[in-house]
């Protein structure tokens, strides 16, 4: 079991009012699953994704990642978990505009303490080849297409060989043809043994997963395995 | 990892060259000013010091204490103190003294065959040469025999010799000294070396005759104005002052009758004054360093805000607080450190220029360079910490959604 969350709650303080973004969510995710989390905006799915990605911590409840309770640890410990166990793919790509593609892919290696520029470069090249982007490595993100940028982001997510790939609307900024190509990569990665959680509000994309968790008003409305 | 963070910081600085340079400017000017001002101060100080020591070394002046008298005349009780015999007694009783000479001079008209020249006539004894390290270039100086016999011999300053005997050899020539409506005839026995203009005025146009001649044949008094003494060494100068003070207090029974000024005291005073001045100017330059630091902080705060998203991305990818902190701290340190280096170069150039104009030696001390550079780094550290901490503490979720 890769992920186990137990009665997860998150409340925000908006001025004087407490807003409950998550009202007690529980589920488990096994290794090599391909899960889609779906819900309209304001449903709490982004909050859930932030907590699953160790970018944020729950107000109450527990989150076990790789059998380790990560719901109450220090900021630096969370950073370490993000670096080693989680690979992010964002809708906005979130690449560093002034760095080359190769440098972008290498960033997680730096924080992981992987030494040696040659070794970093080798690992980055390998990751880029996995997403079909062996050339253009010395270009900057704004010199390549949106689909290629998302491939760079996927390569960056893969580079530290994480337990979990967390994708937030990965096809949201892409045309449907490019979106399909990106989805193909995720399927390929899943087949190779990567666990993938994809947050989306696109039903069509969600249906490509093996399991769909639907969130509404901070609660799980539906959790079903497709085919 | 530090190397990579260093590279990231430098990349971001070079990506905004103009902005980085402008924020460095305050530090550049501050450090440059500190280096230049301290150098100008030390240069001027060393010039004044060398001018004073040019007058001889370890010199102690003994003069009348108060010069109070009735209707414009100096009181005799104040000046009728110092005799040639007292000088000998001082020499015998003060073991730290090397030489002592009377201060006595007159002013008169020197008349050669064709020209004449109004100048000061210094009464000397042979020790004069040693005290002032000033020797005849040709001929000889006043000897003990001349002094004892009050011989009418004269030694001319280099400039004076040229005035009175242009293009001639003055040795053995006769000059008349017209003083107090009398004429005295002197034989030129020597011409002094050239010494240039010092702090005491032009020595070149003076003439030197035995002190006894002034006392016996011109002033007709046995008193001199005071003495110039020389200590054995700079270490014994203070002791010598004490010995003289002790002896004169006992001998004259009145401390108001004499006053002792040592060259060391003068130097000390001058060094104090120039030191205070340099410190003050350096302080003003230090303020501009401070202002430069605030400029760096300002630009770093702007940079943190601008790069909030980048910080969010880095945090999502696993950057800990210390990584972000050091990245931004290195940026501000690099700016202030590099600015400091440029400032040192600029200050050096300025110091060279001012030293050329002022005509004094270039003094750029290691201390001022090291202090200015470390101070600029300190400024970068101090003013960089707040923005860097701000960056390091950003919430990754908020930073990632920052537009």
């Amino acid at each position: 079991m890769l992920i186990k969350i137990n009665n997860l709650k998150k409340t925000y303080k908006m001025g004087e009012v407490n807003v409950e973004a998550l009202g007690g969510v529980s589920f488990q995710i096994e290794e090599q699953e391909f899960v889609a989390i779906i819900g309209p905006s304001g449903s709490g799915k982004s909050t859930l994704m932030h907590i699953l990605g160790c970018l944020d911590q729950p107000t109450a409840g527990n989150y076990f990642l790789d059998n380790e309770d990560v719901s109450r640890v220090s900021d630096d410990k969370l950073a370490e978990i993000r670096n080693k166990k989680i690979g992010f793919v964002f809708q906005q790509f979130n690449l560093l505009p002034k760095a080359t593609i190769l440098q972008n892919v290498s960033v997680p290696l730096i924080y992981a303490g992987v030494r040696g520029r040659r070794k970093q470069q080798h690992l980055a090249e390998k990751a880029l080849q996995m997403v079909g982007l062996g050339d253009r490595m010395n270009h900057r993100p704004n010199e390549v297409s949106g689909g290629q940028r998302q491939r760079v982001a996927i390569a960056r997510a893969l580079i530290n060989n994480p337990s979990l790939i967390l994708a937030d609307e990965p096809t949201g900024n892409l045309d449907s043809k490019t979106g399909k190509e990106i989805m193909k990569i995720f399927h390929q990665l899943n087949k190779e043994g990567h666990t993938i959680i994809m947050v989306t509000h696109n039903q069509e994309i969600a249906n490509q997963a093996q399991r769909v968790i639907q969130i509404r008003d901070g609660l799980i409305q539906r959790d079903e395995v497709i085919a | 990892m530090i190397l990579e963070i260093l590279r990231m910081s430098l990349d971001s600085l070079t990506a905004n060259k103009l902005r980085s340079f402008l924020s460095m400017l305050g530090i550049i000017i501050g450090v440059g000013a500190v280096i230049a001002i301290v150098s100008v101060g030390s240069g001027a100080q060393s010039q004044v010091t060398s001018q004073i020591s040019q007058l001889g070394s370890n010199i102690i002046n003994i003069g009348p204490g108060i010069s109070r008298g009735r209707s414009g005349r100096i009181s005799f009780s104040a000046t009728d103190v110092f005799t040639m015999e007292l000088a000998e007694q001082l020499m015998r009783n003060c073991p730290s003294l090397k030489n002592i000479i009377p201060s006595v001079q007159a002013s008169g008209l020197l008349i050669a065959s064709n020209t004449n020249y109004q100048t000061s006539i210094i009464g000397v004894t042979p020790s004069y040469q040693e005290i002032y390290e000033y020797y005849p270039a040709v001929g000889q100086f006043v000897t003990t025999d001349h002094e004892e016999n009050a011989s009418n011999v004269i030694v001319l300053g280099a400039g004076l010799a040229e005035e009175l005997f242009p293009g001639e050899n003055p040795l053995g020539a006769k000059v008349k000294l017209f003083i107090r409506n009398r004429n005295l005839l002197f034989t030129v026995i020597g011409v002094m070396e050239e010494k240039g203009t010092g702090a005491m005025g032009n020595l070149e146009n003076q003439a030197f005759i035995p002190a006894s001649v002034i006392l016996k044949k011109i002033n007709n008094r046995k008193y001199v104005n005071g003495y110039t003494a020389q200590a054995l060494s700079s270490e014994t100068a203070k002791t010598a002052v004490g010995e003289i003070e002790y002896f004169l207090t006992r001998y004259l029974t009145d401390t108001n009758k004499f006053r002792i000024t040592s060259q060391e005291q003068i130097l000390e005073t001058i060094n104090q004054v120039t030191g205070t001045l340099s410190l003050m100017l350096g302080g003003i330059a230090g303020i501009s360093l401070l202002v430069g630091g605030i400029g760096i902080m300002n630009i770093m705060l702007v940079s943190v805000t601008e790069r909030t998203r980048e910080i969010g991305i880095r945090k999502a990818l696993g950057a800990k607080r210390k990584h972000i902190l050091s990245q931004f701290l290195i940026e501000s340190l690099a700016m202030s450190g590099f600015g400091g280096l440029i400032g040192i170069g600029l200050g050096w150039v300025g110091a060279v220029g001012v030293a050329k104009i002022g005509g004094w030696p270039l003094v750029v001390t290691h201390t001022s360079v090291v202090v200015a550079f470390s101070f600029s780094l300190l400024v970068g550290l101090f003013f960089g910490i707040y923005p860097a901490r701000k960056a390091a503490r950003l919430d990754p979720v908020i930073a990632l959604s920052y537009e």
Side-chain angles (χ1 to χ4, degrees):
Chain A
M1 186 178 16
L2 180 65
I3 287 174
K4 183 184 175 200
I5 60 173
N6 201 355
N7 200 21
L8 214 59
K9 289 184 182 176
K10 180 75 185 179
T11 39
Y12 292 108
K13 235 188 165 114
M14 302 275 268
E16 294 291 296
V17 197
N18 282 332
V19 177
E20 194 172 62
L22 289 178
V25 176
S26 307
F27 58 73
Q28 294 179 8
I29 292 173
E30 303 295 328
E31 268 167 48
Q32 299 184 30
E33 268 194 274
F34 190 154
V35 182
I37 296 176
I38 191 166
S41 56
S43 60
K45 67 176 194 302
S46 291
T47 306
L48 181 60
M49 192 211 71
H50 291 147
I51 292 172
L52 287 177
C54 290
L55 290 164
D56 205 353
Q57 291 198 301
T59 319
N62 296 92
Y63 171 20
F64 295 91
L65 177 65
D66 267 343
N67 296 317
E68 190 184 359
D69 189 352
V70 296
S71 42
R72 273 148 202 72
V73 295
S74 70
D75 280 6
D76 279 353
K77 179 70 185 162
L78 277 184
E80 200 181 313
I81 294 166
R82 289 195 295 267
N83 182 246
K84 299 233 161 81
K85 297 195 171 172
I86 299 165
F88 288 98
V89 180
F90 299 96
Q91 180 179 3
Q92 313 283 351
F93 318 132
N94 278 343
L95 300 173
L96 302 175
K98 279 167 187 156
T100 64
I101 284 169
L102 199 66
Q103 284 169 341
N104 262 292
V105 176
S106 309
V107 171
L109 290 174
I110 296 172
Y111 298 125
V114 175
R115 282 160 184 268
R117 195 188 274 204
R118 196 170 289 171
K119 191 175 175 194
Q120 288 180 7
Q121 190 165 337
H122 176 71
L123 288 170
E125 279 171 13
K126 223 171 81 182
L128 282 166
Q129 269 151 14
M130 275 169 79
V131 297
L133 213 65
D135 49 357
R136 324 206 75 174
M137 289 189 290
N138 292 314
H139 288 71
R140 288 180 204 284
N142 61 358
E143 294 164 351
V144 301
S145 71
Q148 285 170 323
R149 280 182 225 179
Q150 199 58 302
R151 284 165 198 257
V152 175
I154 295 170
R156 184 179 65 182
L158 289 173
I159 196 153
N160 274 343
N161 202 16
S163 325
L164 171 67
I165 291 173
L166 204 56
D168 182 12
E169 301 276 13
T171 60
N173 271 12
L174 303 172
D175 59 68
S176 59
K177 184 171 166 277
T178 320
K180 269 182 196 142
E181 285 170 24
I182 295 297
M183 285 309 291
K184 230 179 185 168
I185 295 175
F186 280 112
H187 284 298
Q188 183 62 37
L189 291 173
N190 182 234
K191 224 177 260 167
E192 285 165 11
H194 289 275
T195 313
I196 295 166
I197 299 178
M198 191 172 285
V199 177
T200 181
H201 63 266
N202 184 331
Q203 192 67 50
E204 200 182 321
I205 296 284
N207 286 341
Q208 293 185 36
Q210 300 157 352
R211 176 180 165 194
V212 175
I213 298 173
Q214 190 167 2
I215 306 278
R216 197 180 191 98
D217 298 330
L219 293 169
I220 294 179
Q221 200 180 34
R222 191 166 61 104
D223 182 350
E224 61 182 15
V225 175
I226 305 171
Chain B
M1 186 167 346
I2 273 296
L3 270 177
E4 278 122 356
I5 292 177
L6 188 75
R7 221 184 62 213
M8 289 192 281
S9 305
L10 295 182
D11 280 350
S12 120
L13 286 182
T14 45
N16 290 306
K17 284 194 193 69
L18 182 66
R19 181 205 276 193
S20 307
F21 175 74
L22 286 177
S23 27
M24 273 192 269
L25 210 53
I27 297 286
I28 294 175
I29 293 171
V31 170
V34 167
I35 299 283
I37 285 169
V38 170
S39 148
V40 166
S42 328
Q45 187 169 344
S46 85
Q47 195 196 23
V48 172
T49 308
S50 84
Q51 271 181 356
I52 286 175
S53 38
Q54 205 184 14
L55 301 173
S57 44
N58 315 317
I59 286 176
I60 300 159
N61 285 304
I62 303 153
I66 39 167
S67 315
R68 187 161 11 92
R70 257 181 228 153
S71 59
R73 285 172 167 245
I74 295 170
S75 136
F76 277 124
S77 64
T79 54
D80 289 2
V81 170
F82 305 113
T83 60
M84 296 297 272
E85 290 72 42
L86 180 56
E88 278 162 28
Q89 276 182 299
L90 272 170
M91 197 60 204
R92 273 200 301 275
N93 285 289
C94 306
S96 302
L97 283 187
K98 189 176 169 194
N99 286 308
I100 188 161
I101 53 165
S103 316
V104 57
Q105 51 181 305
S107 181
L109 189 67
L110 279 175
I111 306 159
S113 50
N114 299 324
T115 44
N116 57 54
Y117 197 88
Q118 175 80 28
T119 188
S120 346
I121 317 295
I122 317 284
V124 295
T125 61
S127 305
Y128 184 92
Q129 311 166 79
E130 215 176 312
I131 289 184
Y132 291 110
E133 288 164 32
Y134 186 36
Y135 299 93
V138 288
Q140 56 168 328
F141 199 70
V142 172
T143 62
T144 317
D145 272 356
H146 295 141
E147 167 64 18
E148 274 171 10
N149 303 328
S151 317
N152 282 9
V153 291
I154 190 164
V155 181
L156 304 176
L160 181 62
E162 195 52 39
E163 289 282 347
L164 294 175
F165 302 100
E168 291 171 45
N169 179 10
L171 282 190
K174 302 279 180 193
V175 284
K176 259 192 283 184
L177 172 62
F178 182 72
I179 188 164
R180 298 195 184 149
N181 296 320
R182 282 191 293 148
N183 273 322
L184 290 163
L185 197 62
F186 285 87
T187 310
V188 178
I189 56 165
V191 175
M192 299 305 281
E193 61 193 353
E194 287 179 25
K195 209 179 183 186
T197 313
M200 286 280 268
N202 197 346
L203 294 164
E204 302 283 290
N205 290 340
Q206 291 172 334
F208 306 89
I209 62 174
S212 55
V213 174
I214 295 193
L215 291 179
K216 290 175 183 159
K217 296 182 178 171
I218 299 172
N219 286 357
N220 293 321
R221 285 179 64 205
K222 63 171 186 167
Y223 298 106
V224 296
N225 301 330
Y227 309 108
T228 302
Q230 185 178 33
L232 284 169
S233 65
S234 56
E235 289 80 38
T236 54
K238 274 214 170 88
T239 322
V241 169
E243 288 167 1
I244 297 167
E245 205 159 41
Y246 177 72
F247 180 79
L248 288 181
T249 309
R250 268 200 332 176
Y251 186 85
L252 301 171
T253 66
D254 185 356
T255 49
N256 282 333
K257 282 192 173 171
F258 66 92
R259 192 156 113 148
I260 304 168
T261 348
S262 74
Q263 202 180 15
E264 272 205 342
Q265 285 171 337
I266 298 172
L267 276 179
E268 236 165 64
T269 314
I270 289 173
N271 283 348
Q272 250 172 21
V273 170
T274 51
T276 313
L277 218 64
S278 303
L279 204 69
M280 196 184 78
L281 291 171
I284 293 172
I287 290 174
S288 93
L289 258 180
L290 208 69
V291 174
I294 295 169
I296 285 185
M297 174 148 93
N298 189 26
I299 222 65
M300 288 310 296
L301 283 173
V302 170
S303 174
V304 168
T305 310
E306 250 181 18
R307 288 154 65 193
T308 301
R309 204 181 174 86
E310 176 195 327
I311 296 163
I313 296 170
R314 289 187 182 281
K315 286 201 144 189
L317 299 180
K320 295 181 181 171
R321 280 188 182 183
K322 63 175 182 196
H323 298 137
I324 304 290
L325 187 85
S326 43
Q327 183 184 351
F328 281 86
L329 210 52
I330 287 170
E331 267 181 46
S332 63
L333 275 176
M335 266 200 277
S336 65
F338 196 57
L341 286 181
I342 299 177
I344 287 170
L346 214 69
W348 202 304
V349 170
V352 169
V354 178
K356 273 240 168 75
I357 294 166
W360 55 66
L362 173 70
V363 187
V364 178
T365 59
H366 294 292
T367 328
S368 71
V369 169
V370 170
V371 165
F373 184 65
S374 5
F375 196 65
S376 68
L377 280 184
L378 214 68
V379 162
L381 190 70
F382 182 78
F383 289 102
I385 272 186
Y386 175 69
R389 268 173 65 96
K390 208 178 146 184
R393 298 170 85 112
L394 277 175
D395 184 325
V397 172
I398 294 170
L400 270 174
S401 57
Y402 186 86
E403 291 298 330

